[in-house]
Amino acid sequence: SPRWNLSFGPDMRHVQLDTQYVSSVADSLMTSTFGRRYIFAALDQTEVSLVTRLNYTFTPDLTFELYLQPLVSNGAYGTPREFQAPSSYRFATYGTDIGSLTKAGNSYTIDPDGPGSASSFSLNDPSFTTRSLRGNAVLRWEYRPGSTMYFVWQQERRNPERLENFRVGHALGTLLDAESNNVLVLKWSYRFNP
């Protein structure tokens, strides 16, 4: 329409990585990897967003612009495993191939060599869920030629609470439950005629 323009930009990404770096732990016994244990895990990540833009012209001097972006991203990490040697693509899974692994809540306790002399260590499960909603609304009024007033409202909502049973519809539905951060701005400019 000559007065308004509405656009939607949906985006969905699904990424599966066999080996995603998680962390490293100092261990002088690991001479093959220069004194450190490098921990990796498989990653299954889904991300959905919808960029929405609305531009509306009330008069040539008065316009409204709206931008919204809901975004949901969920990353589920698999069982931690250890990198074996430089110049190779070999990994050993804790609790299966080497050592022992116990999980309590969101934390792993790993004993890399079982009854051997290596010290055990703890590692947090890096799995995550991120939900955010960002929006900007701008009302522009050119009250005289070259002199403009802007009224801007910006809102951001974030909810980092991890969802164990991730479903896109449910995650998007809980976006408005998060606390919002609102910013209001008034900008005024005046053009002096020479």
Side-chain angles (χ1 to χ4, degrees):
S1 165
R3 295 178 69 99
W4 62 272
N5 182 336
L6 177 65
S7 66
F8 297 100
D11 185 33
M12 181 172 183
R13 299 166 195 239
H14 186 197
V15 177
Q16 289 182 309
L17 299 173
D18 182 49
T19 51
Q20 175 65 41
Y21 173 79
V22 174
S23 184
S24 71
V25 177
D27 188 340
S28 60
L29 299 175
M30 288 298 295
T31 55
S32 63
T33 53
F34 311 104
R36 296 198 73 80
R37 292 184 184 274
Y38 293 94
I39 295 127
F40 290 78
L43 171 64
D44 185 358
Q45 182 178 2
T46 302
E47 185 172 290
V48 177
S49 68
L50 176 65
V51 174
T52 304
R53 296 179 189 274
L54 170 66
N55 298 323
Y56 191 87
T57 303
F58 298 99
T59 68
D61 300 329
L62 184 64
T63 61
F64 176 75
E65 296 177 13
L66 176 71
Y67 170 86
L68 287 173
Q69 184 191 28
L71 178 133
V72 174
S73 182
N74 186 76
Y77 281 81
T79 305
R81 48 192 175 166
E82 183 179 293
F83 179 61
Q84 293 295 288
S87 301
S88 72
Y89 192 74
R90 292 184 300 121
F91 299 87
T93 304
Y94 292 118
T96 304
D97 302 326
I98 59 169
S100 64
L101 172 81
T102 55
K103 186 174 183 184
N106 194 36
S107 180
Y108 292 104
T109 300
I110 299 170
D111 186 349
D113 63 354
S117 57
S119 300
S120 61
F121 59 92
S122 294
L123 178 71
N124 286 332
D125 182 355
S127 298
F128 64 91
T129 303
T130 300
R131 289 162 284 176
S132 72
L133 175 63
R134 291 185 297 164
N136 296 317
V138 180
L139 184 66
R140 183 194 64 84
W141 176 36
E142 189 173 356
Y143 57 92
R144 60 179 295 212
S147 300
T148 310
M149 185 176 291
Y150 297 92
F151 181 71
V152 180
W153 173 43
Q154 183 179 47
Q155 184 180 89
E156 183 174 4
R157 294 174 182 260
R158 288 189 181 274
N159 188 345
E161 180 184 343
R162 169 101 167 94
L163 294 174
E164 291 298 328
N165 298 317
F166 178 74
R167 294 185 317 278
V168 172
H170 173 69
L172 286 171
T174 60
L175 274 175
L176 296 179
D177 296 341
E179 289 188 30
S180 64
N181 181 21
N182 294 286
V183 177
L184 297 173
V185 177
L186 180 63
K187 180 182 176 185
W188 173 72
S189 67
Y190 183 82
R191 181 178 180 201
F192 294 94
N193 291 326

